[in-house]
Amino acid sequence: MTDVTPTTEGGGGGKTIFGHPRGLVVLFFAEMWERFSYYGMRALLVLFLVQHFLMSQEEAAGTYAAYAALVYLLPIVGGAIADKWLGARKAVTIGALFLVAGHFAMAFEGSGGQQFISVAGQEYQVETVGRDEHRQQFAIHDGVRVPIEFTARGLVATPGAGSTLPALTPHDQIEQRVVRDITGESTVLFAMALIVVGVGFLKANISNVVGALYEKGDQRRDAGFTWFYVGINLGSLLAKILCGWIGLTYGWAYGFGLAGIGMLLGLIVFQIGQPWLEGKAGPPPEAAGAKFLGIPMEAALWIGGIVTIIPVWLLLQRHQLVETGLSWLGPMIFLGMLIWSAFFLKGEVRSRMLAALVLCIFSVLFWMLFEQAGSSLTLMAQNSVNMPSFMNAAQSNIVNPLMIVILGPIFAILWQTLAARNAEPSTPLKFSMALIIMGLSFVMLAWATTTQADSLFKIAFLWLALTYVLHTIAELMISPIGLSMITKLSAPKVIGVMMGVWFLSSSLAHALGGVVAGMTATETVGGVVTNPAQALATYGQVYNMWGWVAVGVGAVLLLGTPILKRMMAGVK
């Protein structure tokens, strides 16, 4: 039953649905479809780069990391633009239009790369048939097509009539080369640049609109953000089921194209639902009539967004620059905000801002490990996990959004119930527990790689699924709570910038996460790992090390929780 009644809470009054401002419903479904497009693309991206364009696992993980880092970096600019000129609602619309264009452009596949191997001085072209973990490979020379398989012993061939390929070739006696599809790669990276710019306008600002629906001190705020987060993950769940299946079953272009349709639906929902937002998060009054070089400011910002596509496109082609640049830029921005808050703010506003910034910094490690889902964990599912017959590697992360949809409402009700009894855990405590749980999940997965593997050097999907369940519990303690934290603790005039700083922690984490994913990379031919034993062992070693690091850092934050609670000056 839908409860629509007047209320004096939530952005100064208005109608509610299930006790929350009805604009939350619009934002729930708009963000659901936007996330459908993002996660639909993410489910396929690394596999697409490795299998279709024949990038190495390290390069594909680095490209994904650069893309995701920029996706979370540009909201800092988008948040500032919305604060000063556009307002959050208009910025969301502009971003959505860029996103629609980018996601549909992703459907262009190009011809893909070509893989060749040399054995005993003879070169063979490698053909890979299929896109899932059951794909088959063939070595072709002079029209003779020989089935091949890479094992821990080396290259195993089933020679046919006229074939010169040995039945077994050790790894160290194989040379390889790849002919890259430069035009196809450049086009796909340009589409990704469109998406990056679109997210820059949209991401921080749609969360800002959610915050604008609630008055300061409204105890429904954390629950509202958690419901909003359920919408995000419902979109993610649908994307993993549909885009992951269609992309690997029928073709990459179909999966990416379906993601584009999802983004278009998100834009339509947001525009139709404008009346329910009741004018919240509009342009600031002082922005009326603003111009840049004689051009109306909104038009100037459109032009600026289009121009920004080019440098983003160039950076995506040089992912090492993004990793190196963010490793310096991220800490500098955090330091700058800490100094600004310490010297230019006063009293409770200053202490709250400092507490928020400290928690943002700690969250970097959390997101660095969490976002392995888009790179190394997806590749691990492809290379070292026995996937169920009804699921492929692109769908391996489906457990996370499924559990969010199931557990999200439970956590929302839990936080709201505990808040009403003044017993809700503090935000620093939630953050510390999230880090510890995240670390333990990777320690568990590393243990499984050393004790639970079969003769083909693969582990049961159960272990990966349990890892994602723990990730979900940790995520619900940090991500929606983090969004709510920013809107509660930020100085009023810089909420958009601070929302961008919150996403900066994810940006820096993605860049560093690319380094971690690169540590798990092993050699591939035609998108298939050449040594399954080495691949499994590498995953285990890297995950074990970083898992214990996260547990240790989480324990440090736990010890500092009483100090941070005092700095938050009564804000949960």
Side-chain angles (χ1 to χ4, degrees), residues 38 42 45-46 49 55 57-73 189 192 196 315-316 318-324 326 367-368 371-372 374-376 506-518:
Y38 176 80
R42 193 188 80 159
L45 183 58
V46 172
L49 297 177
M55 290 185 182
Q57 290 188 356
E58 184 174 10
E59 184 179 0
T63 300
Y64 165 76
Y67 160 73
L70 291 169
V71 156
Y72 284 90
L73 180 63
L189 292 175
M192 291 165 63
V196 168
L315 284 172
L316 289 173
R318 297 163 180 81
H319 64 84
Q320 297 89 346
L321 287 178
V322 177
E323 292 169 1
T324 303
L326 272 174
W367 293 117
M368 184 182 80
E371 286 299 333
Q372 294 303 305
S375 53
S376 69
S506 289
S507 178
L508 179 58
H510 277 86
L512 297 176
V515 176
V516 173

Side-chain angles (χ1 to χ4, degrees), residues 93 107 116 118 225 381 415 489:
T93 299
F116 298 87
S118 294
F225 270 98
W415 299 145
L489 297 179

